[in-house]
């Protein structure tokens, strides 16, 4: 296992750690565990590209780790009534759709679209929105809805790229 995939695996380990800390009512430490997961996301991608260690496994696990951490945070904020059901549902639909679509097409032998700057920007914007919610900033929920809308635009762009990548060759 290479270093980028090890960092991605660490994100999976941080999920139950986050849950435990959040469930004990420690909002700020839980937030920093989420930030640590975000840092591993940035590092694994940077190291993989810079050192030529991009792998198919990493291309599948990286976005899965991102989505599972984000879903975990969403559920915790929903259960603690920090976000609305509507916002949580919109985020779930988008993220679960991306995960299910990625697995479905991967196992059908289709080429996977690697994460790009739009996907990374979406993740950063979600983390920022969540930070604003954790710290109860004014207009945090309005910003969250703007990020949700942007995430759907990003999803559409991934679908377009996927179709282009898997388009049959013309003769």
């Amino acid at each position: 296992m290479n270093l980028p995939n090890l960092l991605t695996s660490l994100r999976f380990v941080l999920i139950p750690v986050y849950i435990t800390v959040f469930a004990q009512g420690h909002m700020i430490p839980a937030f920093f565990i989420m930030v640590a997961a975000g840092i591993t996301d940035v590092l694994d991608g940077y190291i993989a590209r810079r050192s030529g260690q991009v792998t198919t496994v990493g291309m599948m696990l990286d976005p899965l780790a991102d989505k599972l951490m984000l879903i975990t945070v969403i559920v915790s904020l929903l259960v603690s009534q920090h976000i609305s059901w509507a916002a949580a549902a919109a985020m779930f639909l988008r993220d679960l759709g991306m995960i299910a679509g990625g697995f479905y097409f991967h196992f059908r032998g289709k080429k996977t679209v690697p994460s790009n700057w739009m996907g990374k920007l979406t993740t950063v914007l979600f983390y920022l929105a969540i930070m604003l919610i954790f710290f109860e900033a004014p207009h945090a929920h309005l910003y969250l809805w703007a990020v949700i809308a942007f995430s759907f635009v990003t999803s559409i762009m991934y679908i377009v790229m996927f179709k282009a990548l898997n388009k049959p060759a013309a003769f």
Side-chain angles (χ1 to χ4, degrees):
M1 176 176 287
N2 65 24
L3 180 58
N5 289 347
L6 186 62
L7 288 169
T8 298
S9 298
L10 177 59
R11 272 202 312 289
F12 287 106
V13 171
L14 287 174
I15 292 170
V17 174
Y18 169 87
I19 292 168
T20 302
V21 171
F22 189 92
Q24 293 174 350
H26 303 294
M27 291 281 291
I28 303 306
F31 171 76
F32 285 110
I33 292 167
M34 183 191 73
V35 169
I39 291 169
T40 66
D41 181 30
V42 171
L43 285 175
D44 73 18
Y46 174 78
I47 293 168
R49 285 185 296 279
R50 182 145 172 109
S51 63
Q53 296 182 41
V54 175
T55 65
T56 303
V57 169
M59 286 171 48
M60 287 296 296
L61 290 181
D62 179 66
L64 179 61
D66 293 344
K67 300 302 173 219
L68 288 177
M69 177 55 94
L70 191 56
I71 288 169
T72 300
V73 171
I74 292 165
V75 168
S76 69
L77 292 173
L78 176 63
V79 169
S80 64
Q81 299 180 347
H82 283 88
I83 62 171
S84 70
W85 278 98
M91 289 185 279
F92 282 137
L93 284 174
R94 188 260 182 184
D95 287 340
L96 292 176
M98 293 290 285
I99 292 169
F103 274 112
Y104 175 77
F105 291 115
H106 173 75
F107 289 112
R108 293 200 63 199
K110 302 290 184 182
K111 295 176 185 170
T112 304
V113 176
S115 61
N116 61 25
W117 71 271
M118 289 283 290
K120 294 295 181 184
L121 177 60
T122 302
T123 301
V124 168
L125 293 175
F126 267 123
Y127 276 104
L128 181 56
I130 289 167
M131 178 188 75
L132 294 173
I133 291 167
F134 266 86
F135 289 97
E136 299 178 358
H139 310 295
H141 292 91
L142 181 62
Y143 178 78
L144 176 63
W145 277 106
V147 175
I148 290 169
F150 181 75
S151 74
F152 277 92
V153 170
T154 302
S155 297
I156 291 166
M157 293 186 74
Y158 270 105
I159 292 167
V160 169
M161 287 186 283
F162 173 81
K163 284 185 172 187
L165 185 63
N166 287 286
K167 185 177 181 178
F171 291 99

